Amino acid sequence: MTNTSATQFIRPELLSAKAYAVPDATGLIKLDAMENPFDFPQELRAGLTHCLNSVALNRYPVPSYASLKAALRKAYAIDSGAALMVGNGSDELIDIITKAVAKPGATIVAPVPSFVMYAGSAMQASVNFVGVPLNATDFSLDLPALLAAIKTHQPAVVWLAFPNNPTGNCFAVEQVEAVLNAAPGLVVLDEAYEPFSPLSWMPRLAQFPNLVVMRTVSKWGLAGIRLGYMAGSAQWLDQFEKFRPPYNVNVLTDAVGQYCLEHEAVFSKQCAHMIEQRQLLLNAVNALPSATGFASQANFVLARLPNALAVNTGLKAAGILVKDVSAMHPLLHNCLRLSVGTPNQTQLLIKHLQQLVSSAALG
Ligand SMILES: *Cc1c(COP(=O)(O)O)cnc(C)c1O
């Protein structure tokens, strides 16, 4: 028998890629992944149990997801003229869009640094990915460079995370409009952080036939159920539907999603608390010696610290897990991404940051 080896058959770009790394958070205060830090609302628990008990686990989901979609449309006033599609997290929707445009020679453009799945999905689908660096001072769009990349590469898709991850800012509305007007293909506004942001593109779908607005319930309070959705013109979404696995959103997610959307206000209240904590955290970071906290419209704060590596290690030793994004992109040197926690968690984080940053500054 001849020796067989996976390396002989696996695609070379996969062999050299790394799996999405998620550190073990056991026993740590988890401020690394922009989850809602509050427990599932007490007043919804009995209703949730009832809802779960009535799910037919022996049946496949209803493939149209008609009632889930109706609940989304109602909760978020989605234009009745727009098509709507659901995904197993918005990560799956990113993957589906990318696969759908993966013709030979196709290109996808996005600012960098931004959400890592845009480039990751492009790699998986063998689509060229062109990253256009943001401006170094405030992570705003380098509009001339972005428009030049659009002109040169004629991208099938332009991704704009709005607010952007990991920088937390919303790009200027007029600049996004310029991108929408210049792009020959689709422009996806990824509004994963919409619950914390004053601005949304959802009301403007009718105005731009090449606009898709993508969202998720993950940052809002339900990261565990994996539910994403996107709205846009049927011209695009009807095609994407063909790549959607028929039962991608499971019956538990479907039921829990609908139940929680009916109680949208309870989660919005938690998000309002997170917005308050964000401001406290931002002010505290900006008061640290030689540190910069970048203004954020999301549920995290990007912090540039004199010694991010040492601070990250110190926080972990103190039982707090945050995300060191320094190595993600040169523009993020010495940057940690701090998810907003509960008031107690934020206080503790600030206390340790104060100790660690001043000791780093001293020594
Ligand atoms: C977290 C995040 C997502 C992923 O959302 P899921 O629905 O949990 O897959 C998508 N886009 C951005 C910009 C994010 O930060």
Side-chain angles (χ1 to χ4, degrees):
M1 204 173 102
T2 54
N3 275 337
T4 62
S5 88
T7 54
Q8 200 181 330
F9 296 101
I10 298 291
R11 289 159 54 186
E13 59 273 39
L14 184 55
L15 289 173
S16 61
K18 287 200 183 80
Y20 188 81
V22 180
D24 181 15
T26 313
L28 300 175
I29 295 175
K30 202 169 180 310
L31 300 178
D32 66 328
M34 285 81 87
E35 293 142 324
N36 178 332
F38 297 107
D39 291 336
F40 190 82
Q42 205 59 45
E43 65 266 43
L44 299 186
R45 288 189 176 226
L48 178 71
T49 304
H50 178 76
C51 155
L52 287 173
N53 275 326
S54 54
V55 175
L57 294 175
N58 57 322
R59 299 294 176 196
Y60 283 109
V62 175
S64 69
Y65 297 103
S67 38
L68 177 60
K69 288 182 183 177
L72 285 165
R73 286 186 186 277
K74 187 168 167 225
Y76 298 117
I78 299 169
D79 191 331
S80 58
L84 187 59
M85 178 171 166
V86 290
N88 186 353
S90 48
D91 282 354
E92 185 184 48
L93 297 174
I94 293 169
D95 199 51
I96 289 172
I97 291 176
T98 307
K99 283 196 291 193
V101 300
K103 296 202 289 187
T107 295
I108 284 178
V109 164
V112 284
S114 188
F115 189 47
V116 291
M117 296 308 289
Y118 307 149
S121 286
M123 182 278 284
Q124 290 182 9
S126 300
V127 174
N128 306 317
F129 178 82
V130 174
V132 180
L134 295 168
N135 289 316
T137 45
D138 58 359
F139 301 117
S140 58
L141 286 180
D142 181 346
L143 188 63
L146 189 53
L147 293 178
I150 289 169
K151 195 167 174 204
T152 306
H153 299 287
Q154 296 290 299
V157 179
V158 178
W159 294 108
L160 295 174
F162 189 97
N164 189 40
N165 171 9
T167 58
N169 57 314
C170 284
F171 304 126
V173 169
E174 326 76 70
Q175 296 192 331
V176 173
E177 287 169 346
V179 171
L180 280 159
N181 288 324
L186 191 65
V187 179
V188 183
L189 270 289
D190 179 349
E191 297 188 349
Y193 300 96
E194 177 274 336
F196 316 98
S197 166
L199 295 167
S200 168
W201 291 84
M202 197 64 96
R204 303 193 63 184
L205 282 174
Q207 219 178 322
F208 298 101
N210 62 338
L211 168 63
V212 159
V213 175
M214 175 182 287
R215 291 192 188 159
T216 173
V217 300
S218 293
K219 302 344 188 297
W220 180 63
L222 301 173
I225 76 169
R226 313 300 300 127
L227 176 62
Y229 58 100
M230 60 179 172
S233 84
Q235 179 200 175
W236 289 96
L237 265 58
D238 286 356
Q239 301 306 320
F240 297 149
E241 276 288 347
K242 300 176 189 171
F243 263 173
R244 185 179 60 77
Y247 306 117
N248 61 331
V249 173
N250 72 72
V251 289
L252 295 170
T253 297
D254 188 351
V256 175
Q258 288 185 57
Y259 174 70
C260 293
L261 285 165
E262 281 167 27
H263 301 279
E264 199 269 337
V266 181
F267 292 89
S268 295
K269 211 167 115 193
Q270 292 186 334
C271 293
H273 289 308
M274 284 189 263
I275 291 172
E276 285 169 20
Q277 295 303 306
R278 172 181 81 199
Q279 194 56 44
L280 286 179
L281 182 59
L282 180 67
N283 294 347
V285 169
N286 276 317
L288 297 170
S290 317
T292 306
F294 294 92
S296 169
Q297 313 294 334
N299 61 342
F300 61 88
V301 168
L302 185 73
R304 175 163 290 136
L305 304 170
N307 188 351
L309 187 65
V311 172
N312 186 43
T313 309
L315 286 175
K316 201 160 178 191
I320 302 175
L321 186 65
V322 300
K323 177 99 171 170
D324 184 352
V325 293
S326 311
M328 227 175 100
H329 191 274
L331 288 175
L332 298 173
H333 65 93
N334 264 338
C335 283
L336 301 182
R337 191 188 61 197
L338 315 169
S339 300
V340 168
T342 63
N344 283 340
Q345 292 171 342
T346 305
Q347 238 176 15
L348 197 67
L349 173 64
I350 290 172
K351 187 187 97 181
H352 285 289
L353 281 173
Q354 285 166 344
Q355 287 169 1
L356 290 161
V357 172
S358 33
S359 65
L362 292 173

